[in-house]
Amino acid sequence: MKTKIINAPDLHKAASRQKGETLFKSASILHKQESQSLLNGKKYYIRTYGCQANVRDEETMRGLLEDIGMWQIDKPEEADVIIINTCAVRENAEDKVYGEVGNLKILRKKNKKLVLAICGCMVEQPEILERLMKTFPEINLFFGTHEIDQLYDLLYQTLTSEERIVSIESKAGEVIEGLPSARNNHYKAYVDIIYGCNKFCTYCIVPYTRGKERSRHFSDIIKECQNLIDMGYQEITLLGQNVNAYGKDLDEGKDFADLLEAVAKLGIPRLRFTTSHPWDFSSKMIDIIAKYPNICKFIHLPVQSGNDEILKIMGRRYTREQYLNLVKEMRAKIPGLSLSTDIIVGFPNETEEQFNDTVSLVDIVKYEAAYTFIYSPRKGTPAARMEDNVSYDEKVRRFKILVQHLEKNIEKHSESLVGKVVDILVDGPSKTDPNMLSGYTDENKLVHFPGDSSLIGTITKVKIISSHTYSMMGELYRG
Ligand code: SAH
Ligand code: SF4
Ligand code: F3S
C-alpha cells in the first residue's frame, strides 16, 4: 500500500515556542457530507489510552462520528472504523498499543474497507510513527493531536483512496471552538481550559505532542460550563496540563483563580481541576478553593522528587522547601484538604540519598493519594540523552519502598474516615461487584455501597463502615 503523507511529525518544530497570537478557529467541516454518505449508520470502535486530555479528545471524535450517523460499539470485529487514541508518556503506555494493534490487524485482512486509525500522542514522535508504519502495514490512517477537527476529511480520504494517509503536523497549535462532543458520562464532565504545555520538564514528552500552552477564551469556557449545568451535570473538572497557567497567554485580564471562582459561582455542585504545577500555584487560588464549598477540597500537586538537585535537573522550577511551604499554606487555609501527587523514581543517576529525600518528603506531606512511576526515557527529551548509572532492579527496589511509605499514610487516612458520613457522587454499579454501587467523595476517595440504581448520577450521603488502601465500603445514611 502506498502512503500519502500530508504532514509528518518533526520534534524540532514541535518544540518551537514562537511568540505570537494563538489562532482561534471554528471546526472544519471539509468533506462532512461525503463522509456522511459513506458512513451514515455504520459502526465505530474507539479505544483511548492516557490522560484526561485524551479522554476529552475521544469525546470530541465521538461527537464528530455520531454527528454523521455512526454508532459506537465495543466489539472491534464488527466495526467499520477503528480508532486507537494513544499515549506516549511512558514506554508501558506504548507497549499496550503495540499489543492491541497486533490483535486488530487481522480485521483489516478480512475487511479491506475497514478504517484502522491510530491517533494521539504516540504518532507525534517521528521514530515511533516510523516503527508503527513498518510494523503494521494494516494501519491505513495516522493522524495527530492537532488534526482531530479534520476527522471527516481524513476518513473521506482514507475510504476513497488506495493509499494510507498520514496527517501529523507538529505545530504550536490552535484553539478550535464549536466541535461537537459526545460525553462519556452524563453527570461528570471534563472541560478543557488550556491546551498544551510550555514547561518542558526534561523527562517529559507532552510539550512535544500537545503543542504550546494556549488558553480558551474565558467566555467560551463559562458558556460550556453553564450548558453542562443546564443539562443537569453534577461535576465539572477543568482540564489542562497545567491549569494554573490559564489566561497568561491571553490579554483578557483573567487568571485561573478568576476562572475557578466564576465557574464555582455558576453553581455546579462539584468543581474539580487538574493538573496544577506547584510553580505557579498562587495564594489567590488557595483562597478561592477555601472560599467556595462546591470546589472540591482535593488538589493534585505533582512533586516528582523531594531532592533539590533532581528537581533542578528535571526542570521543575521549584525547590523542596518552596513545595513544602506551598503545602503548608494549603493545609492551613483549606480544612479537610486531600492532597495527591505524582512521583518519578529512578530519574537518571538518582542517588540513594536523593531518593531518600523523596521518601522523607512523602512522610512529611502525608499525601492522601499518589501515583508513582519508574522513570521511562522518552526519545527527543533532554533526560533521555543523559547517561544513567542506576540499574532497573534498583529502581524497582526504590519504587517498592516509596509505595510502602505512601500506602502507610493513605491507609491511615482511609481508616480515619470510618464512621464518618460523606457525600458520594454515584457513578454506577461497582466494577468488582455489580450488586454494589460506587462513586467518589469530594476528596476523591472511591466508595462502594449497596443501593438502588436510581441513585446513579446523584450526590448521596453514605456512612463509611470499613476501609482498604484504595477504596472504602459504606452504607446509605438515613440519619
Ligand atoms: N501535566 C501534568 C501531567 C503530565 S504526565 C503534570 O505536569 O503534572 C503525568 C505524570 O507522568 C507526570 O506527573 C510524571 O510523574 C509522569 N511522567 C511524565 N513523563 C515521565 C517519564 N518519562 N517517565 C516516568 N514518568 C513520567
Ligand atoms: Fe510534562 Fe512537566 Fe508539562 Fe507536566 S508540566 S506535562 S510533567 S512538561
Ligand atoms: Fe499521554 Fe499525551 Fe496525555 S502522552 S499523558 S495522552 S498528553
Side-chain angles (χ1 to χ4, degrees):
M1 189 180 222
K2 278 211 281 190
T3 301
K4 178 175 173 189
I5 297 187
I6 302 169
N7 279 301
D10 174 335
L11 282 186
H12 195 68
K13 272 198 207 154
S16 85
R17 290 293 184 270
Q18 280 156 354
K19 291 251 178 300
E21 297 225 332
T22 298
L23 185 62
F24 283 77
K25 282 200 325 197
S26 38
S28 154
I29 47 159
L30 185 62
H31 288 137
K32 180 174 180 181
Q33 263 182 358
E34 291 81 350
S35 49
Q36 181 156 21
S37 63
L38 291 166
L39 292 168
N40 188 10
K42 302 230 164 143
K43 302 178 217 97
Y44 72 91
Y45 169 87
I46 188 161
R47 175 75 188 260
T48 290
Y49 296 88
C51 67
Q52 288 96 333
N54 256 16
V55 173
R56 187 72 195 108
D57 285 349
E58 175 190 306
E59 292 179 339
T60 304
M61 289 189 269
R62 291 185 40 227
L64 286 162
L65 296 175
E66 287 176 18
D67 249 19
I68 56 167
M70 290 196 79
W71 296 91
Q72 184 176 21
I73 49 164
D74 55 13
K75 289 197 184 94
E77 331 51 275
E78 292 169 14
D80 304 284
V81 172
I82 294 179
I83 299 179
I84 309 296
N85 187 17
T86 63
C87 170
V89 79
R90 284 170 295 276
E91 196 175 347
N92 56 4
E94 297 189 333
D95 288 344
K96 287 185 200 150
V97 170
Y98 287 109
E100 176 154 31
V101 181
N103 292 332
L104 294 173
K105 64 181 186 187
I106 180 126
L107 300 176
R108 271 270 297 149
K109 292 208 174 97
K110 287 189 197 153
N111 175 5
K112 292 281 173 237
K113 285 204 177 126
L114 173 70
V115 177
L116 178 53
I118 308 287
C119 64
C121 290
M122 264 175 90
V123 298
E124 295 284 339
Q125 304 162 95
E127 286 186 36
I128 305 284
L129 173 66
E130 203 174 306
R131 182 171 157 203
L132 279 166
M133 286 173 69
K134 267 202 198 122
T135 319
F136 301 116
E138 298 84 1
I139 302 172
N140 51 359
L141 173 59
F142 293 87
F143 62 100
T145 61
H146 301 291
E147 282 78 25
I148 287 173
D149 66 311
Q150 296 155 36
L151 190 59
Y152 295 138
D153 181 43
L154 294 169
L155 287 172
Y156 172 74
Q157 292 202 48
T158 310
L159 285 163
T160 53
S161 85
E162 292 296 308
E163 296 169 312
R164 74 183 344 189
I165 307 291
V166 178
S167 181
I168 303 154
E169 188 178 1
S170 298
K171 57 182 174 183
E174 297 137 353
V175 172
I176 298 165
E177 293 294 347
L179 285 164
S181 170
R183 294 191 189 263
N184 290 329
N185 188 301
H186 297 300
Y187 325 107
K188 304 204 290 194
Y190 291 131
V191 172
D192 287 314
I193 63 163
I194 179 166
Y195 303 100
C197 181
N198 284 355
K199 296 287 178 289
F200 286 101
C201 302
T202 56
Y203 50 82
C204 185
I205 196 71
V206 173
Y208 305 84
T209 66
R210 291 267 163 191
K212 71 170 178 182
E213 269 173 11
R214 52 209 193 275
S215 305
R216 291 178 66 197
H217 288 310
F218 196 84
S219 56
D220 287 328
I221 300 169
I222 296 294
K223 216 182 326 162
E224 183 173 347
C225 292
Q226 185 61 57
N227 272 340
L228 291 165
I229 294 170
D230 295 345
M231 283 190 274
Y233 275 82
Q234 299 291 305
E235 180 178 299
I236 287 176
T237 303
L238 303 178
L239 273 192
Q241 292 302 336
N242 175 21
V243 291
N244 317 3
Y246 176 77
K248 291 184 182 178
D249 58 320
L250 300 175
D251 49 10
E252 298 186 338
K254 306 271 196 202
D255 60 18
F256 180 60
D258 298 323
L259 180 67
L260 201 54
E261 179 164 40
V263 180
K265 278 186 176 164
L266 295 178
I268 182 82
R270 278 187 178 185
L271 178 56
R272 300 183 187 277
F273 55 91
T274 198
T275 300
S276 287
H277 191 294
W279 181 63
D280 43 6
F281 206 114
S282 66
S283 295
K284 183 174 163 193
M285 279 168 60
I286 299 177
D287 294 338
I288 297 288
I289 297 165
K291 183 170 164 191
Y292 289 89
N294 56 343
I295 303 180
C296 293
K297 305 300 176 248
F298 172 80
I299 299 175
H300 183 57
L301 195 69
V303 67
Q304 314 299 358
S305 164
N307 174 269
D308 281 342
E309 288 146 34
I310 295 286
L311 284 171
K312 194 158 186 206
I313 310 172
M314 283 178 163
R316 288 293 290 180
R317 308 167 187 220
Y318 53 84
T319 62
R320 173 189 174 96
E321 198 191 341
Q322 285 169 329
Y323 184 92
L324 288 174
N325 283 340
L326 179 61
V327 168
K328 217 189 223 167
E329 183 184 347
M330 288 173 169
R331 294 249 197 236
K333 287 184 175 167
I334 311 173
L337 175 69
S338 203
L339 269 176
S340 85
T341 199
D342 290 345
I343 299 174
I344 297 177
V345 175
F347 188 77
N349 308 312
E350 180 190 58
T351 65
E352 177 90 33
E353 251 189 337
Q354 291 170 328
F355 167 69
N356 286 337
D357 281 344
T358 301
V359 175
S360 77
L361 179 132
V362 155
D363 289 340
I364 295 170
V365 177
K366 299 192 170 44
Y367 292 104
E368 281 81 8
Y371 301 89
T372 30
F373 309 106
I374 291 183
Y375 168 73
S376 169
R378 304 287 72 208
K379 266 229 160 79
T381 63
R385 292 190 284 274
M386 294 175 195
E387 257 182 62
D388 188 359
N389 62 14
V390 192
S391 72
Y392 189 73
D393 285 353
E394 174 59 15
K395 294 184 190 208
V396 172
R397 189 187 71 84
R398 291 181 192 171
F399 179 87
K400 286 183 184 157
I401 294 174
L402 187 66
V403 169
Q404 275 172 4
H405 279 256
L406 285 160
E407 283 188 347
K408 209 165 62 197
N409 194 65
I410 294 168
E411 271 161 25
K412 222 156 100 198
H413 172 68
S414 298
E415 277 163 24
S416 76
L417 293 171
V418 174
K420 294 217 164 110
V421 176
V422 291
D423 285 329
I424 306 290
L425 173 49
V426 186
D427 278 332
S430 153
K431 280 189 188 133
T432 44
D433 180 353
N435 298 317
M436 302 281 274
L437 293 175
S438 66
Y440 286 86
T441 64
D442 177 312
E443 54 173 32
N444 222 24
K445 283 270 177 196
L446 177 61
V447 180
H448 306 287
F449 62 98
D452 189 81
S453 60
S454 62
L455 293 171
I456 294 171
T458 65
I459 295 177
T460 304
K461 289 212 179 302
V462 170
K463 186 171 178 185
I464 304 298
I465 49 174
S466 68
S467 75
H468 308 276
T469 315
Y470 297 106
S471 66
M472 294 184 289
M473 299 297 288
E475 60 187 19
L476 278 174
Y477 180 67
R478 301 175 210 274

